[in-house]
Amino acid sequence: MIEELKTFTLELVKSLTSEPDLVKVQDFQDEEENPIIEIMVSDVDMGKVIGKSGKTAKALRTLIQATAYNKGIKRANNWKEIENIFLKEGININEWT
């Protein structure tokens, strides 16, 4: 199931980028054994994947979560982990509206 979710995520993100060969999707588990999907893109494509005010990133998250749920995965990522990654870059995603 998680492999199908990774493939879906990879194809979805590749369709948004100008350098699709550089898109990577990895999965791992948090301390509660919930799967986490990590998406990596080139610096050039980062803005496209995040989108204006983070709208694209939020939409991606929603689509991935919905697909995960349909595949029987109750929780496919940890939004708190994503927040921490952005905070390290000086971006507060809680301010995205």
Side-chain angles (χ1 to χ4, degrees):
M1 281 189 253
I2 196 73
E3 288 303 317
E4 292 175 36
L5 184 61
K6 282 175 54 179
T7 300
F8 169 78
T9 302
L10 181 65
E11 294 305 316
L12 182 64
V13 175
K14 277 184 170 185
S15 71
L16 298 173
T17 62
S18 60
E19 297 180 359
D21 294 340
L22 298 179
V23 175
K24 291 187 177 34
V25 175
Q26 295 180 331
D27 70 290
F28 53 95
Q29 294 182 335
D30 65 11
E31 58 277 349
E32 297 170 5
E33 297 195 19
N34 295 308
I36 296 175
I37 302 292
E38 181 180 61
I39 301 167
M40 293 164 282
V41 299
S42 71
D43 290 340
V44 172
D45 289 323
M46 187 66 74
K48 292 177 189 173
V49 173
I50 294 173
K52 187 173 184 177
S53 299
K55 290 180 182 178
T56 304
K58 285 182 179 181
L60 285 170
R61 177 179 173 253
T62 300
L63 287 169
I64 294 165
Q65 285 284 61
T67 302
Y69 184 81
N70 285 335
K71 298 202 177 293
I73 302 169
K74 298 299 180 204
R75 189 171 174 195
N77 65 25
N78 187 332
W79 190 241
K80 196 69 176 165
E81 292 292 322
I82 295 170
E83 285 181 277
N84 290 338
I85 291 167
F86 278 100
L87 284 173
K88 287 178 185 175
E89 298 295 322
I91 303 167
N92 185 353
I93 60 175
N94 291 316
E95 295 174 353
W96 294 350
T97 56

